[in-house]
Amino acid sequence: MINDTILHKGMRKRLVEEIASKGISDPQVLKAIGKIPRHLFMESSFVKFAYQDKAFPIGAGQTISQPYTVAFQTQLLQVKQHSKILEIGTGSGYQAAVLIEMGAQVYTIERQRELFLKTQQFLPQLGYHPRFFFGDGYKGLPTYGPFDGIVITAGAPFIPEDLKMQLKIGGRMVIPVGQGDHQIMTLIERKAENSFEETTFGNFAFVPLLKGTN
Ligand code: SAH
């Protein structure tokens, strides 16, 4: 892999131990985080920041999510081989890479053109090939659904109805809900055509889910 050394691997191993100690137990999630060279997803690969369990700026006023947060959302999705997953908020592409490592077929939407173009060019260089879409994630991808899982990686002021309707029966949506400086991680399971179950999992901090494109 491009510029991935024994040093990076060692730091990643410690990062995996750290998020495991914080409660992430899905072995597939831990394996994916242990494999993906997070330092390559950052502006100027600040190695020592890349393997801290922290969010980091990626340009255009956006962030690469904290590894623990990525792991937490991914674990809640219960990804299986060939799961069809929709991600809202491509950003750096790191979350998409985690999903692909776990065997998912990934569709990802970004509303910031600059980031969309950058990540669409970058991610395939690492061998990760999601389907990239430029647009407003509030609407989802009605023509490509329904999905086994939908993950929203920005703070949503409310749960978008369009996204709920793009879940398969038995599908799971993981969405941080709330405005301001924190959101409540929420799992929505579609139990039947018109039956949805909601479970909450405490506070997280995300950049806001915005309307329209930029
Ligand atoms: N999953 C990303 C996290 C990036 S932060 C990663 O792993 O790096 C959240 C991203 O959501 C930002 O890039 C932001 O531009 C994008 N975003 C915000 N509102 C959106 C919307 N309505 N549709 C699509 N993307 C959106």
Side-chain angles (χ1 to χ4, degrees), residues 16 19-20 27 36 53 56 69 71 81 87-88 95 101 106 111 114 133 144 155 164 171 175-176 180 205 209-210:
V16 167
I19 64 174
I36 301 168
D53 189 22
F56 200 82
T69 302
Q81 280 296 324
E87 176 194 27
I88 311 300
Q95 169 76 77
E101 276 293 343
V106 177
R111 67 174 288 283
E114 183 191 325
F133 297 84
Y144 294 87
K164 279 170 80 171
I175 178 167
L209 187 70
L210 301 173

Side-chain angles (χ1 to χ4, degrees), residues 62-65 87-92 94-95 109-112 115 135-138 153 207-210:
Q62 300 306 320
T63 55
I64 178 171
S65 299
E87 176 194 27
I88 311 300
T90 310
S92 69
Y94 182 76
Q95 169 76 77
I109 313 179
E110 175 57 55
R111 67 174 288 283
Q112 293 239 22
L115 269 175
D136 180 353
Y138 273 97
T153 69
V207 297
L209 187 70
L210 301 173

Side-chain angles (χ1 to χ4, degrees), residues 30-156:
L30 294 171
K31 194 174 156 198
I33 293 198
K35 190 163 171 201
I36 301 168
R38 189 171 188 258
H39 62 284
L40 300 179
F41 288 71
M42 296 183 166
E43 284 287 78
S44 31
S45 52
F46 291 109
V47 171
K48 72 174 180 187
F49 297 114
Y51 295 105
Q52 286 175 1
D53 189 22
K54 289 183 180 150
F56 200 82
I58 53 170
Q62 300 306 320
T63 55
I64 178 171
S65 299
Q66 183 182 346
Y68 172 74
T69 302
V70 172
F72 195 91
Q73 288 194 284
T74 309
Q75 182 164 284
L76 278 181
L77 275 177
Q78 297 185 350
V79 178
K80 297 177 188 69
Q81 280 296 324
H82 311 299
S83 288
K84 194 169 155 184
I85 307 286
L86 172 63
E87 176 194 27
I88 311 300
T90 310
S92 69
Y94 182 76
Q95 169 76 77
V98 171
L99 294 167
I100 292 168
E101 276 293 343
M102 294 176 69
Q105 194 189 331
V106 177
Y107 297 71
T108 184
I109 313 179
E110 175 57 55
R111 67 174 288 283
Q112 293 239 22
R113 189 175 294 276
E114 183 191 325
L115 269 175
F116 162 78
L117 291 171
K118 188 171 161 191
T119 302
Q120 187 184 39
Q121 203 224 10
F122 163 72
L123 214 47
Q125 291 174 17
L126 297 187
Y128 298 119
H129 299 275
R131 293 185 70 164
F132 293 98
F133 297 84
F134 175 68
D136 180 353
Y138 273 97
K139 298 182 182 65
L141 292 174
T143 55
Y144 294 87
F147 299 94
D148 297 298
I150 302 180
V151 59
I152 290 82
T153 69

